[in-house]
Amino acid sequence: DTEVTQTPKHLVMGMTNKKSLKCEQHMGHRAMYWYKQKAKKPPELMFVYSYEKLSINESVPSRFSPECPNSSLLNLHLHALQPEDSALYLCASSQDQGSGANVLTFGAGSRLTVL
Amino acid sequence: GQNIDQPTEMTATEGAIVQINCTYQTSGFNGLFWYQQHAGEAPTFLSYNVLDGLEEKGRFSSFLSRSKGYSYLLLKELQMKDSASYLCAAMDSNYQLIWGAGTKLIIKP
């Protein structure tokens, strides 16, 4: 299995809703990432988990809350989002975090619209 | 600061060759990646260079010059399906990826 699976593919939510994005990989990768990508922009790193521990939080607002229940799963909990948070949210994984040839395998993304 | 520069958009003809350039400035260097991203889809890995020189992989080749802080992606025998954005990303001394804004490649028949 060489895939990263993300659900849902599309999500529309109001500013008072609470929702979650889910990501799963079965490649035995020990690093997992959340990226946010706006149209015509590169991916913007949000969080990195290494060996199920949060290793990087790129000053992301607290309305985004990551969770790594085990080595295969990564969640992103969303609460009280703003319309400007609408974007494509990409999950990625890699064998580990601290090495050179650290190829990221991306999921297909969850397209989030905040009304 | 850390910075990646690549052209915003390029146009090429089906069957031709195109070279997409990337220059980088990072704190330390642990390699240069190229990813392809079709509109509305996730990026997919194309190549990784950490030593100077040319790496060839089918129709795609990637070149690195560490002394010049320069890389290029060479696409040969262009096909319509190669229309996509091409993202250059350099890995710094902390193994963090610094991403370029991407080059949108338009292939015309």
Side-chain angles (χ1 to χ4, degrees):
Chain A
D1 187 351
T2 57
E3 284 189 345
V4 175
T5 305
Q6 288 187 245
T7 55
K9 287 190 174 3
H10 299 276
L11 178 62
V12 180
M13 59 186 290
M15 289 189 284
T16 58
N17 292 157
K18 280 187 182 180
K19 297 285 184 184
S20 297
L21 305 181
K22 297 185 182 299
C23 176
E24 189 169 3
Q25 58 88 14
H26 294 287
M27 294 177 281
H29 287 176
R30 306 309 302 213
M32 295 186 78
Y33 309 74
W34 279 115
Y35 280 89
K36 172 183 176 180
Q37 188 176 28
K38 293 274 204 178
K40 300 182 181 180
K41 299 286 187 183
E44 184 182 325
L45 183 64
M46 300 175 73
F47 302 104
V48 182
Y49 274 83
S50 180
Y51 291 84
E52 300 166 49
K53 292 187 178 176
L54 184 64
S55 64
I56 294 177
N57 176 342
E58 292 285 357
S59 303
V60 179
S62 60
R63 58 186 185 268
F64 295 92
S65 174
E67 178 197 18
C68 188
N70 59 54
S71 60
S72 299
L73 294 173
L74 185 65
N75 298 323
L76 186 63
H77 302 298
L78 314 171
H79 174 54
L81 295 192
Q82 304 296 311
E84 60 263 28
D85 296 322
S86 298
L88 181 67
Y89 288 83
L90 293 163
C91 174
S93 69
S94 65
Q95 283 195 324
D96 59 47
Q97 184 191 348
S99 68
N102 206 19
V103 177
L104 295 176
T105 301
F106 284 89
S110 293
R111 185 159 298 283
L112 173 67
T113 303
V114 182
L115 301 176
Chain B
Q2 307 201 96
N3 191 52
I4 307 282
D5 281 318
Q6 52 181 130
T8 304
E9 188 174 297
M10 298 181 71
T11 303
T13 305
E14 191 177 14
I17 299 173
V18 71
Q19 178 175 312
I20 303 174
N21 295 325
C22 169
T23 57
Y24 64 89
Q25 288 179 305
T26 54
S27 302
F29 180 73
N30 278 300
L32 193 291
F33 294 80
W34 285 95
Y35 284 82
Q36 179 192 59
Q37 186 173 24
H38 286 98
E41 298 182 10
T44 55
F45 170 75
L46 289 178
S47 68
Y48 170 70
N49 294 66
V50 67
L51 299 176
D52 290 350
L54 187 68
E55 297 270 350
E56 296 187 71
K57 197 186 291 187
R59 294 188 299 114
F60 292 8
S61 303
S62 57
F63 172 84
L64 177 68
S65 169
R66 288 173 297 172
S67 62
K68 294 181 180 177
Y70 167 70
S71 173
Y72 68 72
L73 181 70
L74 190 71
L75 293 77
K76 301 177 185 175
E77 300 168 18
L78 286 170
Q79 302 175 9
M80 298 303 292
K81 67 178 182 180
D82 298 329
S83 292
S85 285
Y86 291 85
L87 297 159
C88 172
M91 183 170 278
D92 69 12
S93 57
N94 293 320
Y95 300 102
Q96 297 307 306
L97 281 177
I98 311 302
W99 294 85
T103 298
K104 182 179 180 182
L105 178 63
I106 300 167
I107 310 295
K108 294 187 174 179

